Amino acid sequence: QRPNSTTKNRAANNCQNAQQIQSNIENDLVTRKSTIFRGHIFAVVKLKPPPGTIDFPMAEIQAIITNGGGILMNKQIFEAVKTDLKKHAAHKKRMEDDSFDANDMDDEGSKPNKKFYVVSTGGYHLDHANFCPLLSDLEKLGVDIIPVNPIWVLTCASEETECDPAMYPLLFQPQTWPYRLLPPSNSASSATDGNPATAEEGRRFLISVTGFVDMSRYGIIQLLKSIGATYTDSLRAKNTHLICKEATGKKFIRALEWRMHVISVDWLYHVVRYGYKDGCEDMFTLDETRGPVKTMTAQNRRAFTKEVRLDCDKQNPPLSKSGEKKANERN
């Protein structure tokens, strides 16, 4: 059966978005040298996500890790870690011995000063040992493995600062659902006509951010770029959305004056999970007196979210366990 035009267009849009993500990563981060991940060990889980969701170029993610001083897990690294842990256990036993002399202490048995991360895009159950047997072996040795997603890797590398992913799990840790892409612009002015300003004005999601001052700000920016939005540091009248931490500030007031969508970050978390649908901003609108405004009744909001969820799941079903196994075999 030959694919229809809708299927072809969707595939082309997904391919174009994936190419754009890869281009951004290559230009900005892949070749940058740093020590941000120095000594830490990473296992990268590679699975093909469902259509309509982010397909991160994991080869580039691995390059960012290694250029930042990180070590990719393999059998040889696992054996080295196992040896270090045995030395630490023997060292700890010596310290507990009544005859132990602190002057005899050396660095060989000191606890390894490294962290262990598993990088995955999510979209399936989070028992990553199913996809990387070495992780299961590490867990048996009592190693704490920290789950992170590619957004965390990109954010830490871009800011050259390591952050605790558990502080913002929706941003920096894999979820059981994949990150869905924003719909592409259908504006004629967004076509390439040789004028970048014209192309920018035609984009459907031209988004700025205000009020976020820690690593969450940079994580939000990376996530926006990854799902197909165009991020602008400064706010202009051509912007379509402003994501605010609080209903206050110069950007917030100006965005209201320009009658753009002024929304909380929960809007972003909603669209990456359920997909974008016209009018979904209404659930997360901010106003200058009360902060988040519930412009829908609770009943309508539940019905809207259910409709979005069913629509997105019908178009882009999550990976089943058998699908995970097949995808893992392909990678």
Side-chain angles (χ1 to χ4, degrees):
Q1 184 178 359
R2 301 177 62 183
N4 57 35
S5 59
T6 302
T7 303
K8 289 181 179 179
N9 291 337
R10 184 180 298 122
N13 290 332
N14 292 340
C15 180
Q16 182 180 7
N17 186 276
Q19 290 173 349
Q20 183 62 46
I21 294 172
Q22 183 171 353
S23 175
N24 289 341
I25 294 176
E26 288 176 347
N27 292 335
D28 296 337
L29 297 176
V30 171
T31 59
R32 182 186 301 178
K33 299 290 186 179
S34 72
T35 59
I36 182 62
F37 303 128
R38 184 169 61 186
H40 300 330
I41 297 176
F42 292 79
V44 179
V45 175
K46 302 178 185 178
L47 283 175
K48 193 70 175 177
T53 63
I54 302 178
D55 187 2
F56 285 99
M58 299 306 282
E60 281 70 21
I61 296 296
Q62 288 179 318
I64 292 171
I65 291 171
T66 55
N67 283 336
I71 303 169
L72 297 178
M73 172 64 69
N74 56 36
K75 186 66 175 177
Q76 183 179 0
I77 296 299
F78 170 77
E79 293 298 334
V81 169
K82 187 176 180 180
T83 299
D84 287 346
L85 291 173
K86 285 183 178 179
K87 288 182 179 180
H88 172 63
H91 175 73
K92 184 177 180 181
K93 185 175 181 180
R94 286 177 59 204
M95 292 185 65
E96 293 173 349
D97 192 335
D98 292 338
S99 62
F100 174 73
D101 186 350
N103 294 322
D104 294 334
M105 187 171 59
D106 55 34
D107 293 332
E108 285 191 8
S110 59
K111 186 175 182 179
N113 186 23
K114 56 175 65 74
K115 296 178 183 177
F116 297 82
Y117 293 101
V118 54
V119 184
S120 70
T121 57
Y124 42 85
H125 65 84
L126 301 180
D127 185 4
H128 297 106
N130 287 339
F131 311 111
C132 183
L134 289 178
L135 291 176
S136 178
D137 294 335
L138 280 176
E139 290 175 342
K140 292 175 182 177
L141 295 175
V143 173
D144 292 328
I145 301 173
I146 306 170
V148 296
N149 61 22
I151 297 296
W152 179 85
V153 175
L154 294 172
T155 302
C156 293
S158 66
E159 301 307 311
E160 297 188 6
T161 301
E162 187 180 2
C163 70
D164 180 5
M167 291 180 63
Y168 301 101
L170 290 177
L171 272 179
F172 295 138
Q173 293 190 308
Q175 306 296 320
T176 55
W177 34 269
Y179 289 109
R180 300 188 186 274
L181 297 168
L182 290 169
S185 172
N186 55 10
S187 172
S189 62
S190 65
T192 55
D193 58 0
N195 186 342
T198 301
E200 185 176 86
E201 288 175 0
R203 287 173 182 160
R204 187 175 180 183
F205 299 97
L206 198 59
I207 304 177
S208 190
V209 173
T210 186
F212 302 89
V213 296
D214 58 2
M215 288 293 282
S216 65
R217 173 183 180 84
Y218 307 106
I220 290 169
I221 292 170
Q222 290 292 342
L223 182 54
L224 285 170
K225 292 178 179 178
S226 296
I227 64 174
T230 299
Y231 169 76
T232 66
D233 191 53
S234 58
L235 186 71
R236 293 166 286 180
K238 65 180 70 173
N239 279 83
T240 59
H241 296 70
L242 176 66
I243 296 178
C244 301
K245 184 175 183 179
E246 297 177 341
T248 185
K250 293 181 180 179
K251 276 188 176 181
F252 171 76
I253 298 300
R254 187 56 58 89
L256 291 178
E257 293 173 355
W258 285 335
R259 303 181 66 82
M260 65 183 63
H261 293 295
V262 183
I263 46 181
S264 69
V265 72
D266 290 330
W267 172 82
L268 178 60
Y269 297 146
H270 175 85
V271 297
V272 297
R273 180 171 185 177
Y274 300 117
Y276 179 84
K277 188 170 184 179
D278 289 336
C280 65
E281 291 91 350
D282 291 342
M283 293 190 291
F284 308 99
T285 299
L286 298 174
D287 105 332
E288 57 188 334
T289 58
R290 294 183 298 161
V293 176
K294 298 179 180 178
T295 56
M296 293 185 174
T297 65
Q299 181 178 0
N300 289 341
R301 186 165 56 256
R302 286 193 298 270
F304 182 91
T305 302
K306 181 178 180 181
E307 180 183 354
V308 171
R309 184 187 301 115
L310 292 175
D311 182 54
C312 290
D313 289 344
K314 182 179 180 181
Q315 295 182 31
N316 305 305
L319 288 175
S320 63
K321 288 191 176 182
S322 61
E324 293 167 14
K325 181 177 180 182
K326 292 179 181 178
N328 198 26
E329 292 172 351
R330 289 197 300 269
N331 288 279

